[in-house]
Amino acid sequence: MNNNPIGVYDSGIGGLTVFSKLSELLPNENFIYFGDTANMPYGTKSKEDLLKITHKIMDFFAQKNVKAVVMACNTTSAVAYDCLKHDYNFIMYPLIQTVCKILANINANKIGVLSTEATANSHAYKMYLKKYNPNIDVIEHGCPGKWVECVESGSQSDLTNFEIIKNHLNILLNQNVQKIILGCTHYPYLKNILVNISKKDIFIDPSEYFAQYIANDLEQSGNKAEKQLFKPEFYVSSNPEQFFISSKIFYNINTVPTLAC
Ligand code: DGL
């Protein structure tokens, strides 16, 4: 079991922000990455659709005999995890539930969260941050699905509609938040736009905390691979060539991914 692969997924390339950190911290593990590009963006979908989508991905990983699945996706962690967490016999690491344990105790009384609309509407960040620190104030803000589509297509130039991004960010800044969680795994790509609007150290990329937690947990639970197995496989549900090109911004994959699901 320990030498079985670890599944990692997102709606597209965003989860590679988590995968790239996992690959540094767990250089022996074998990984299977799935980018659900046919269903991207997730953030504008209904709970019913997101549940169906997440079940299909978990079934895919079950067939691959994974020992664990990393939900490198805020939206399905927020909306689907609770409904399917008992349906599979591998370990599941949901992003929001995991990182809130750590982020609830960073040095800030008022935290903003920039996320997809579905994540913001679920109030998962508020619920879990407050669970671990009842005194914290949390302001959640949902952003357009178009942001994720632009990151996927590598067209940052379409995002240089600076005013739109600025207006969204200002909704949080005007409420005097001390930190802003980038609550969508695609958003670290926007950092070089965001830092022109606010100071760099206000932004938190949860993927670092998430990957570190998973590495520690595998170690402590005795579930780490016993030998060198690192040979990641990449799958997508549509448009493998586009994924291959866009993925470079987060992780340098060396073959065009396989079409699956
Ligand atoms: N990157 C995912 C997240 O963290 C999904 C974004 C989307 O497809 O809308 O929520």
Side-chain angles (χ1 to χ4, degrees), residues 113-117 120 140-144 168 187:
V113 184
L114 275 185
S115 71
T116 65
E117 282 165 15
E140 296 159 299
H141 181 69
C143 304
H168 283 277
Y187 293 176

Side-chain angles (χ1 to χ4, degrees), residues 50-171:
L50 289 168
L51 257 176
K52 271 192 216 146
I53 285 169
T54 314
H55 261 298
K56 208 168 163 193
I57 296 171
M58 293 297 175
D59 291 345
F60 168 79
F61 283 131
Q63 279 170 13
K64 296 275 180 195
N65 283 323
V66 296
K67 64 178 173 188
V69 168
V70 175
M71 303 176 80
C73 168
N74 291 265
T75 307
T76 53
S77 300
V79 177
Y81 172 69
D82 275 341
C83 303
L84 50 70
K85 62 185 172 192
H86 300 302
D87 295 354
Y88 297 86
N89 62 359
F90 42 74
I91 310 165
M92 280 184 208
Y93 291 108
L95 197 159
I96 297 176
Q97 291 81 344
T98 307
V99 299
C100 284
K101 285 183 210 166
I102 306 158
L103 298 179
N105 292 308
I106 56 163
N107 205 10
N109 307 323
K110 201 171 194 183
I111 295 193
V113 184
L114 275 185
S115 71
T116 65
E117 282 165 15
T119 300
N121 292 339
S122 77
H123 300 297
Y125 267 103
K126 183 179 263 176
M127 202 162 75
Y128 286 100
L129 286 168
K130 279 187 156 303
K131 176 177 173 185
Y132 298 108
N133 180 357
N135 298 324
I136 207 164
D137 239 353
V138 183
I139 320 278
E140 296 159 299
H141 181 69
C143 304
K146 175 116 174 62
W147 289 17
V148 168
E149 289 176 80
C150 288
V151 176
E152 278 301 313
S153 61
S155 50
Q156 198 186 14
S157 54
D158 291 352
L159 282 167
T160 38
N161 194 340
F162 191 73
E163 282 309 309
I164 293 180
I165 295 187
K166 195 172 170 183
N167 290 344
H168 283 277
L169 191 59
N170 275 341
I171 291 171

